[in-house]
Amino acid sequence: MFDLVWLIPLCPLIGSVINGLFGKKIKNETVIGGIAAGSVLCSFFVACGILMQLLSLPGEERHFEKTIFTWIQSGQFKADIGFLIDPLSCVMLMVVTGVGFLIHLYSIGYMHGEEGFYRYFCYLNLFTFSMLCLVSGNNLLLMFVGWEGVGLCSYLLIGYYFHKKSAGDAGKKAFVMNRVGDFGFLLGLFTMFWYLGGTHNIWTINFRELASHAELMPVGGVTTVICLCFFLGATGKSAQIPLYTWLPDAMEGPTPVSALIHAATMVTAGVYMIGRMNFMFIKSPTALLVVACVGAATALFAATIGTAQNDIKRVLAYSTVSQLGYMFLAMGVGAFGAGIFHLMTHAFFKACLFLGSGSVIHAMHHALHHEHSDADPQDMRNMGGLKAKMPITFATFLIATLAIAGVPGLAGFFSKDEILWQAFSNPHHGEMNIILWGFGACAAFLTAFYMFRLVFMTFFGETRLSEKAFHHLHESPWVITLPLVVLACLSIVGGYVGIPKVIGETLGGIPNMWEHYLEPVFAYSTEYMKHAGGHGEAHSVAMEWGLMGVSVVIAFAGIGLAAALYIVKPTIPAAFTNAFPALHRAVYNKWYMDEIYDFAFVNPCKALGNFLWKGFDVVVVDGCVNGVAAVVKGFSGVLRYVQTGFVHNYAFSMTLGVVVIVAAYLFS
């Protein structure tokens, strides 16, 4: 099966080409959706076969490279179109194709009747192709092709409703902010290539070759510069401070697009890139600290904003930014496996949450349409009591919410608890560990609070719809609810591959399969820390159990607070808002970060652009061009009188000229 790895990105590309070229003529939505979803399903089956073959091999042999052809060759440098199969890439291939297929299937029902149905699936397949190239490419250049591809497709899909100015603006915002991050990625790539080539005559960008020469990279110094440049790229693609503001605005696209971007594709790219380059980051304590601090700060900062939003998709958007912060926190404390673990579990419950919100929006739109109401179908203040009308959506949404809140037994508990434990006990950051853990713990409390605020406002209590609109509410069709059920099941069982060691030993020696599975990928980082003496302060099993208990208490405290404010005493939130209006406005307006960015960056850039246009282009450039034309026109206007068209005038001019020449000769 390894030799067929090229089929995984090829199938979605074929689907994109067919729908892009012939979709408008095909017209049949079932055929168009079937081609798109079927192509991703084929990729999923191939990925499953490759995973099975990989698992049959011993740990040290779990790697394979398939070169399709040589792309660029110059001297000792060579870049191939080739694919890398190892435990990390297989995880990403399974997540992208598996969750991606469910989102494609869901989209067939959700996008029914849309005018650009074929265009949507063309973009969606192209998005999947780009992400598969990113996670399976065997070198940094092919990764960057996929990196740019998902950036382009996000622009196309976020701006899918391009007739709306807000959608067009959101697409441009995502595109521009990602270009800032991509500049950092390229700087890191060029600096690393220059250093290894110029200093050690190692001209390569192949991942396995780079890992084999990792010992040539110094601790700190240029390695820190390279890692920070790569991390800048990650902050753009994975929406971390300071390049996070594009992701909440990405809600302007169709809801399945939000699920694909937030759960299975684009925003996970930065986390994957750091995991793939772990052998570089482990040699820069400064870069690790920066990654950990930015991740922890983003997790908490985005969580505070989520507590005051009323748009159901916007709450989930800030939840994604916050959860990505957890992943980067894990990467920053050297717990690369824990970060990838949370990436996988997050893909399950976040896809379920977004698709569940889409099911709610779909039903709300239908109900409000029958009432001829212009109320916002995404505003939770217009909902309430939906669980009676949408039992499948409610049940699956509740399971995914329990998972993201960190309730024991569900997928999110295992991955999030592992990150918090590693943040507290890692050997890299000393006294900063307690601060990093504190930020993560506070973010966990707020996550449980605002997610159950969403659940209670949407599904519980008295409905805020009219009787007529509420009567027309109904459960979504099977093509929408089936993916929800599958994802809800994965949100339950997905975490049991990574049972923490202390729990496994208590249950009779159950191993942490996830840790062992990814061990070959992070072997260099593990060995480096052993030789560097990075074992840190020893912590007892009781300490780990205690912190696990604290995280459980935090989760239930957040749920309890949400229940108290939105079920038991629903008048308290309004009273709090009235008591602290300035605080509420600040949180509701996202701490005015968009306004700050507009003031500091956007408006000065616009002013500079206007100056270069009206001050330089119009005055200087156009002035020079038009000035030359005016001079020529002026001379032409005078000289044209010499050309009269009469022969006797020309004879007189010739005679006069002869007289002048003779006179000049005689009297000179």
Side-chain angles (χ1 to χ4, degrees):
M1 288 297 293
F2 284 173
D3 287 325
L4 299 179
V5 64
W6 55 274
L7 285 173
I8 296 178
L10 181 64
C11 290
L13 179 61
I14 292 173
S16 177
V17 170
I18 292 174
N19 280 330
L21 294 178
F22 308 110
K24 195 170 185 179
K25 295 181 179 179
I26 294 174
K27 294 182 180 179
N28 188 299
E29 291 186 356
T30 303
V31 174
I32 293 171
I35 291 171
S39 66
V40 181
L41 183 61
C42 289
S43 296
F44 175 70
F45 286 146
V46 176
C48 287
I50 289 174
L51 178 62
M52 293 299 103
Q53 184 176 348
L54 188 77
L55 292 174
S56 68
L57 298 174
E60 64 275 7
E61 297 179 14
R62 290 179 179 177
H63 57 83
F64 177 82
E65 287 192 63
K66 175 66 175 179
T67 300
I68 308 302
F69 60 86
T70 298
W71 180 16
I72 302 171
Q73 185 160 7
S74 177
Q76 299 179 47
F77 171 72
K78 186 175 76 166
D80 297 322
I81 296 296
F83 302 99
L84 172 62
I85 298 173
D86 70 354
L88 178 57
S89 62
C90 276
V91 168
M92 297 303 296
L93 290 174
M94 292 296 293
V95 168
V96 174
T97 57
V99 178
F101 165 69
L102 294 174
I103 293 171
H104 277 72
L105 180 64
Y106 176 99
S107 296
I108 297 173
Y110 190 87
M111 298 300 289
H112 171 66
E114 288 285 347
E115 184 179 354
F117 191 85
Y118 77 94
R119 176 169 57 89
Y120 169 83
F121 278 102
C122 171
Y123 294 163
L124 209 63
N125 269 171
L126 187 61
F127 200 172
T128 306
F129 160 76
S130 299
M131 189 64 190
L132 290 172
C133 286
L134 191 156
V135 300
S136 62
N138 69 346
N139 61 77
L140 276 164
L141 203 55
L142 188 55
M143 173 189 274
F144 187 70
V145 170
W147 191 275
E148 290 300 292
V150 294
L152 170 63
C153 293
S154 68
Y155 166 75
L156 296 172
L157 286 166
I158 294 169
Y160 175 78
Y161 298 114
F162 55 85
H163 55 276
K164 292 170 55 181
K165 185 178 184 302
S166 57
D169 289 345
K172 288 183 287 187
K173 184 175 183 179
F175 191 80
V176 170
M177 294 197 79
N178 273 276
R179 296 294 72 73
V180 176
D182 296 349
F183 179 69
F185 186 105
L186 285 176
L187 284 179
L189 172 58
F190 294 154
T191 305
M192 183 191 67
F193 186 71
W194 160 80
Y195 177 79
L196 284 176
T199 306
H200 302 287
N201 201 34
I202 305 294
W203 304 98
T204 184
I205 52 173
N206 180 280
F207 289 123
R208 288 190 59 79
E209 292 176 4
L210 288 172
S212 67
H213 294 105
E215 71 279 358
L216 299 177
M217 299 300 299
V219 177
V222 69
T223 304
T224 297
V225 173
I226 293 169
C227 291
L228 291 179
C229 287
F230 277 124
F231 180 58
L232 177 60
T235 60
K237 201 64 68 183
S238 297
Q240 297 295 284
I241 293 173
L243 301 178
Y244 74 94
T245 58
W246 67 270
L247 190 57
D249 289 351
M251 299 301 98
E252 291 290 341
T255 300
V257 171
S258 302
L260 193 61
I261 291 176
H262 287 246
T265 58
M266 183 170 173
V267 297
T268 62
V271 181
Y272 167 77
M273 183 266 291
I274 293 180
R276 177 60 71 195
M277 301 290 290
N278 68 90
F279 52 84
M280 192 78 68
F281 279 83
I282 199 66
K283 301 194 75 172
S284 175
T286 301
L288 284 179
L289 181 59
V290 170
V291 172
C293 289
V294 169
T298 303
L300 181 57
F301 184 74
T304 62
I305 299 175
T307 61
Q309 303 305 306
N310 296 314
D311 185 308
I312 187 171
K313 288 174 64 177
R314 196 166 287 274
V315 174
L316 296 178
Y318 281 105
S319 167
T320 299
V321 177
S322 181
Q323 295 303 306
L324 287 166
Y326 275 108
M327 299 175 206
F328 281 101
L329 172 60
M331 295 297 178
V333 298
F336 302 108
I340 300 298
F341 188 27
H342 196 56
L343 183 156
M344 182 187 73
T345 61
H346 177 262
F348 300 150
F349 55 71
K350 184 51 62 68
C352 186
L353 289 168
F354 263 110
L355 297 185
S357 72
S359 178
V360 169
I361 294 167
H362 183 268
M364 286 287 295
H365 186 273
H366 175 78
L368 293 171
H369 174 74
H370 276 279
E371 195 189 21
H372 305 289
S373 172
D374 59 355
D376 186 356
Q378 296 181 195
D379 193 328
M380 297 185 295
R381 293 171 295 185
N382 297 327
M383 302 177 189
L386 268 60
K387 67 175 182 177
K389 293 285 188 174
M390 308 182 72
I392 299 176
T393 299
F394 165 67
T396 55
F397 201 98
L398 180 61
I399 290 170
T401 304
L402 289 168
I404 195 175
V407 171
L410 282 80
F413 164 76
F414 296 106
S415 57
K416 187 180 293 186
D417 181 74
E418 181 67 15
I419 292 173
L420 290 175
W421 168 246
Q422 293 292 341
F424 182 84
S425 63
N426 78 88
H428 299 283
H429 305 311
E431 295 179 354
M432 283 294 297
N433 285 357
I434 187 64
I435 299 175
L436 295 173
W437 178 87
F439 271 59
C442 291
F445 170 77
L446 292 176
T447 299
F449 169 73
Y450 68 69
M451 286 304 304
F452 270 88
R453 170 181 178 266
L454 185 158
V455 169
F456 294 144
M457 289 182 69
T458 303
F459 295 102
F460 285 79
E462 295 294 326
T463 182
R464 291 174 286 280
L465 290 167
S466 68
E467 184 178 348
K468 180 179 179 181
F470 189 71
H471 174 74
H472 283 97
L473 274 175
H474 59 79
E475 185 60 273
S476 299
W478 72 267
V479 74
I480 289 180
T481 56
L482 178 60
L484 295 179
V485 173
V486 175
L487 290 167
C489 291
L490 290 172
S491 299
I492 297 173
V493 303
Y496 286 93
V497 296
I499 296 177
K501 184 178 179 180
V502 291
I503 296 180
E505 291 176 349
T506 303
L507 297 177
I510 299 175
N512 188 326
M513 293 181 289
W514 184 263
E515 182 179 316
H516 295 304
Y517 171 74
L518 287 177
E519 193 173 11
V521 181
F522 307 126
Y524 178 84
S525 297
T526 303
E527 287 299 315
Y528 177 81
M529 288 308 301
K530 287 181 180 178
H531 292 302
H535 300 286
E537 181 183 350
H539 295 283
S540 66
V541 173
M543 175 68 76
E544 187 170 353
W545 276 111
L547 288 178
M548 190 181 298
V550 170
S551 68
V552 172
V553 170
I554 286 171
F556 282 107
I559 296 171
L561 180 61
L565 296 183
Y566 293 93
I567 297 294
V568 180
K569 291 280 188 177
T571 58
I572 294 179
F576 180 86
T577 300
N578 293 332
F580 304 98
L583 176 61
H584 177 264
R585 280 196 304 272
V587 178
Y588 179 76
N589 288 294
K590 303 157 285 185
W591 299 108
Y592 299 105
M593 291 305 300
D594 280 324
E595 289 78 6
I596 292 172
Y597 281 15
D598 285 344
F599 176 78
F601 303 108
V602 178
N603 292 336
C605 287
K606 286 182 177 179
L608 177 61
N610 285 329
F611 168 75
L612 294 175
W613 165 35
K614 296 180 179 179
F616 184 75
D617 189 51
V618 173
V619 175
V620 178
V621 178
D622 288 352
C624 291
V625 174
N626 295 335
V628 171
V631 170
V632 173
K633 181 179 180 181
F635 277 111
S636 300
V638 174
L639 293 176
R640 73 186 180 86
Y641 292 108
V642 177
Q643 302 294 327
T644 63
F646 296 112
V647 176
H648 62 273
N649 286 346
Y650 299 150
F652 173 75
S653 298
M654 292 172 62
T655 303
L656 182 61
V658 170
V659 171
V660 171
I661 292 171
V662 171
Y665 177 75
L666 292 176
F667 295 103
S668 62

